[in-house]
Amino acid sequence: MVLSSRFRKLSSTIQGAIDNMDSGTIYVAPGVYDERITLKSKITIIGAGTNRTTITRANDSCIVYGIGVSNVTLKDISIIGTQTTKDTSTCIKLVKNFVDTTSLPSIVFDNVTVKNTYTSGAGLCTYGIIADSSSFIMKNSYVNVTGKSGSSDDRGSMKVKRSCKITLLNNSIICKSGESVDRVLWIYD
């Protein structure tokens, strides 16, 4: 069940709740939500805790997508992907989410767990977060990309374009497979 800031039921899915609000806070009840979500400006999404509220999606190129959004917060939630077939996979992809006029970051992740696991036969690239021309803060969070050796050419917990403005505070960021190119934080042009 997904509730609004006034604690009325909005939807049985997180995306349904996002679509039904112009701005405000969405409270996500404990549970596993098998869906892909697209973020919207001026929305805060609060789960019941990283061990209790999970957004998951198997074999999808992206689970949480944000393009051109500002004033977005995700808090107390897990985003977990399992990739076996896609060429490129990521749990969170942010594109063109710039700093707003108050100089606040476009997106805040607070106490968010991001895990992307790939298996034999997975595609060329696997990431936890990809950010292109975006600003965000990540605090008190955990990002982990793992998998079996020989199953992915490029791996990275975070792939961030040089033009991004990011702040990382009190996080654990891990990328481990033991083979090929593993990057915890990959900054690219």
Side-chain angles (χ1 to χ4, degrees):
M1 179 186 309
V2 183
L3 305 171
S4 73
S5 56
R6 294 191 175 97
F7 297 104
R8 71 178 201 280
K9 184 176 179 183
L10 287 176
S11 176
S12 60
T13 67
I14 298 168
Q15 188 62 54
I18 292 169
D19 293 343
N20 287 321
M21 288 186 78
D22 291 326
S23 64
T25 302
I26 297 168
Y27 293 92
V28 184
V32 176
Y33 297 82
D34 185 3
E35 60 181 301
R36 182 178 195 207
I37 67 169
T38 300
L39 300 174
K40 189 165 142 182
S41 292
K42 301 178 185 174
I43 297 285
T44 296
I45 301 171
I46 300 176
T50 57
N51 292 327
R52 299 182 67 208
T53 304
T54 301
I55 304 168
T56 187
R57 193 84 178 162
N59 297 319
D60 202 336
S61 60
C62 177
I63 300 171
V64 175
Y65 184 66
I67 181 166
V69 298
S70 62
N71 300 317
V72 173
T73 299
L74 273 79
K75 184 174 182 175
D76 299 330
I77 201 161
S78 289
I79 301 158
I80 298 177
T82 304
Q83 306 300 329
T84 60
T85 60
K86 292 288 183 182
D87 288 335
T88 298
S89 67
T90 185
C91 288
I92 301 171
K93 185 170 185 178
L94 308 173
V95 180
K96 297 183 182 176
N97 303 294
F98 294 105
V99 177
D100 67 15
T101 56
T102 62
S103 296
L104 295 172
S106 295
I107 302 171
V108 175
F109 299 101
D110 186 3
N111 193 34
V112 173
T113 295
V114 177
K115 292 182 184 178
N116 203 354
T117 303
Y118 52 90
T119 60
S120 295
L124 299 175
C125 306
T126 306
Y127 305 102
I129 299 170
I130 295 176
D132 181 352
S133 302
S134 296
S135 67
F136 68 91
I137 288 179
M138 178 169 271
K139 58 186 178 178
N140 308 312
S141 295
Y142 176 77
V143 181
N144 188 3
V145 173
T146 59
K148 295 183 179 180
S149 298
S151 56
S152 183
D153 290 339
D154 258 349
R155 288 168 292 281
S157 292
M158 299 176 82
K159 180 180 177 183
V160 178
K161 193 166 187 174
R162 191 172 304 281
S163 62
C164 291
K165 180 180 178 184
I166 66 169
T167 303
L168 303 172
L169 303 165
N170 194 35
N171 300 293
S172 293
I173 303 172
I174 301 165
C175 182
K176 186 176 181 182
S177 73
E179 196 175 299
S180 191
V181 180
D182 293 335
R183 297 177 176 106
V184 171
L185 176 60
W186 176 11
I187 299 173
Y188 71 101
D189 287 319

